[in-house]
Amino acid sequence: MFAHVDINNCYVSCERLFDPALEGRVVVVLSNNDGCVIARSNEAKAIGIKMADAEFMVRQNLKENNAVIFSSNYPLYADMSARLMNNLARFTYMLMVYSIDEAFLALGNIQSIDLEKHTNAISENVMRFTGLPITVGVAPTMALAKLANKAAKKQKRPYMVLANEEKIKAVVKDFPIEDVWGVGLQYFNKLTELGIKTAHDFRELKADLVRQHMTVQGWRLHQELWGKPCNVIKDVAERSKGIESSQSFNTYQTELSAVEEAISMHAATVALKLRQQKSMALQLTIYLRTNKHNITHDQHYPSITVKVPFAANSNHQLTRIAVQAIRAIWQPGYNYLKTGVRATGIIPAGEVQYNMFCDYGHSKEQQLSELMDSLNDRYGRGTLRLAADSFERKWAMKQEFLSKRYTTNWKEIIVAK
């Protein structure tokens, strides 16, 4: 059996946790630079606010409904996510963090246990120790567990357990095919042509026909909906295809120095993520973007992929490469709005192949990066950074509605009087 857990309206729930007065009110959380809606309370959904709605387009609607608006508070959300995952780990021998607000748990063969009580215990335990409302779906496969989770949400239930074929049939009967995990736009179009509207319709297709039209991935999904496991829970580091850090500027950038500072920050962020999952990168992709929605400006979308001489995860090595790359693709005369760094070719840290003819100070750079991590963990992220990443950050994103970092900054911790 597998369990799929996710936080209900994650970012909104994190904000409400530290301000209970927000319960029952219209609440939205905005993306980088307060651009568009990326999280909504149920009350916001009820007044017609949709995901990815531009803030300026729904501003009047939010104002008329006395809405509370927040900028994305990533330190808070990441910390609450870590607390959730640590709590979930108590209920499984294998946990796969799928995103910041969801995870899969391997429950194994626990037929002797009352699954309903066990699932309810997970839900109540998380609420008791983190304060976060979650939904849990339990089933014989990961696809069915995800489906059970969505079905529970639609029925406004804290959890759903599909322990046998009878319960599975009852849920898949009217479950929309477009809401099935793994059915993207391309698969949806193909299935629509075949007259498939529900998960039940999809299950009734012959396996050979599914493989013919949807390749092996579609076939695996088909098997999973029949309760035959084809996906396995993996360590996050094993399944990672790339790590990226990017951000839009708060205003157009026309000076290389400001973009270099931003790219240095992104390279350091990517390096930290690599170290956290004990892996290294063989390639870096660095890119620049103008505003494609502003047709009055000339457009320019340069990018470059650089091979790292030796797989690395140190701030010094990746920042040096990223800065050199941004200088190579920079073109004056454009109004740049976004830049980013993406690491690919990710391998475990213990599998790096070195060159005996090249003097590479790997251990020294590792020690420096680990020392920086230690100091930043103790005194706060960003306390110690490379000189290339300015402390001023005039290009930093706009966050006019930012809440406090209640759990990661001593100066912003809640004080009880």
Side-chain angles (χ1 to χ4, degrees):
M1 302 295 288
F2 297 88
H4 175 259
V5 177
D6 77 343
I7 306 172
N8 301 335
N9 305 325
C10 177
Y11 294 174
V12 170
S13 294
C14 290
E15 298 291 353
R16 280 178 167 173
L17 180 60
F18 296 94
D19 187 358
L22 297 174
E23 290 291 341
R25 296 190 60 181
V26 176
V27 181
V28 298
V29 179
L30 303 178
S31 63
N32 290 348
N33 288 309
D34 298 338
C36 59
V37 176
I38 58 172
R40 310 158 292 161
S41 64
N42 291 333
E43 295 79 6
K45 297 174 184 177
I47 65 171
I49 304 299
K50 298 181 176 58
M51 284 291 286
D53 273 350
E55 185 273 337
F56 72 90
M57 295 182 65
V58 297
R59 188 178 301 160
Q60 187 61 33
N61 189 5
L62 293 173
K63 183 178 180 180
E64 291 174 355
N65 287 277
N66 194 27
V68 181
I69 303 172
F70 288 100
S71 301
S72 294
N73 189 340
Y74 297 120
L76 175 64
Y77 307 151
D79 185 66
M80 295 310 301
S81 173
R83 295 178 185 221
L84 168 69
M85 302 310 170
N86 288 335
N87 197 269
L88 292 177
R90 301 164 62 185
F91 292 90
T92 181
Y93 58 90
M94 182 68 76
L95 174 75
M96 185 175 86
V97 180
Y98 193 67
S99 69
I100 192 171
D101 68 337
E102 61 181 320
F104 284 98
L105 289 71
L107 301 181
N109 186 2
I110 55 175
Q111 295 179 0
S112 59
I113 297 178
D114 187 323
L115 279 173
E116 294 282 342
K117 289 183 178 180
H118 186 71
T119 307
N120 185 56
I122 295 175
S123 179
E124 291 184 348
N125 187 276
V126 169
M127 175 58 74
R128 183 182 305 118
F129 289 104
T130 70
L132 295 171
I134 64 170
T135 301
V136 187
V138 175
T141 68
M142 292 172 67
L144 282 173
K146 183 93 170 178
L147 187 148
N149 188 301
K150 288 188 176 182
K153 275 189 169 65
K154 291 180 180 180
Q155 298 178 23
K156 298 183 179 179
R157 296 171 50 181
Y159 63 86
M160 178 178 289
V161 178
L162 304 181
N164 53 53
E165 180 61 22
E166 182 180 354
K167 291 183 177 180
I168 293 173
K169 284 183 177 180
V171 174
V172 302
K173 180 180 179 181
D174 299 315
F175 196 88
I177 188 62
E178 61 268 27
D179 290 341
V180 174
W181 183 44
V183 177
L185 180 61
Q186 185 176 2
Y187 280 172
F188 174 70
N189 291 334
K190 289 183 178 180
L191 292 172
T192 300
E193 293 176 0
L194 296 172
I196 306 302
K197 296 181 179 180
T198 67
H200 168 76
D201 296 338
F202 181 56
R203 292 211 317 167
E204 293 303 306
L205 288 176
K206 292 183 178 180
D208 291 342
L209 182 64
V210 172
R211 188 153 191 167
Q212 176 184 347
H213 287 276
M214 301 176 64
T215 69
V216 68
Q217 295 299 327
W219 177 83
R220 288 174 179 169
L221 174 60
H222 183 263
Q223 295 296 297
E224 288 237 331
L225 291 181
W226 276 108
K228 302 173 183 178
C230 293
N231 295 311
V232 295
I233 287 182
K234 301 177 181 179
D235 185 273
V236 175
E238 293 180 7
R239 70 183 184 90
S240 180
K241 295 182 179 180
I243 294 177
E244 183 170 348
S245 176
S246 64
Q247 179 181 302
S248 297
F249 302 118
N250 60 5
T251 186
Y252 293 119
Q253 296 298 323
T254 58
E255 298 295 330
L256 176 59
S257 58
V259 177
E260 285 183 353
E261 291 175 3
I263 212 70
S264 299
M265 181 202 71
H266 293 313
T269 300
V270 167
L272 176 60
K273 291 180 179 179
L274 286 168
R275 292 195 296 276
Q276 288 175 338
Q277 68 174 38
K278 296 180 174 56
S279 59
M280 294 189 172
L282 293 168
Q283 290 182 328
L284 283 187
T285 298
I286 293 84
Y287 60 86
L288 277 167
R289 299 284 185 270
T290 50
N291 186 358
K292 65 180 180 181
H293 301 293
N294 191 335
I295 59 176
T296 63
H297 291 172
D298 293 334
Q299 301 298 311
H300 194 219
Y301 312 116
S303 68
I304 186 173
T305 299
V306 182
K307 184 177 180 181
V308 181
F310 300 97
N313 64 8
S314 72
N315 291 22
H316 303 75
Q317 179 77 344
L318 298 190
T319 299
R320 184 162 54 244
I321 294 172
V323 170
Q324 291 174 349
I326 204 69
R327 290 172 180 170
I329 63 174
W330 169 266
Q331 291 290 335
Y334 292 98
N335 296 314
Y336 291 109
L337 187 63
K338 183 178 182 178
T339 189
V341 176
R342 179 175 176 79
T344 53
I346 296 175
I347 62 173
E351 298 181 6
V352 180
Q353 180 68 51
Y354 299 109
N355 188 331
M356 64 181 296
F357 300 106
C358 184
D359 182 18
Y360 176 56
H362 171 71
S363 59
K364 182 179 180 181
E365 292 200 353
Q366 282 295 112
Q367 291 172 4
L368 284 172
S369 294
E370 290 171 3
L371 176 61
M372 291 178 66
D373 292 344
S374 176
L375 291 171
N376 287 330
D377 286 342
R378 181 172 182 178
Y379 297 105
R381 184 175 177 181
T383 300
L384 183 64
R385 62 180 79 157
L386 298 182
D389 180 6
S390 169
F391 276 85
E392 295 182 6
R393 291 185 177 177
K394 296 179 181 179
W395 42 265
M397 64 181 175
K398 180 174 66 175
Q399 294 178 303
E400 294 183 358
F401 313 102
L402 188 63
S403 58
K404 294 182 178 180
R405 295 163 292 179
Y406 301 105
T407 64
T408 58
N409 189 303
W410 284 108
K411 295 179 180 179
E412 299 180 10
I413 194 171
I414 288 180
V415 178
K417 297 182 180 180

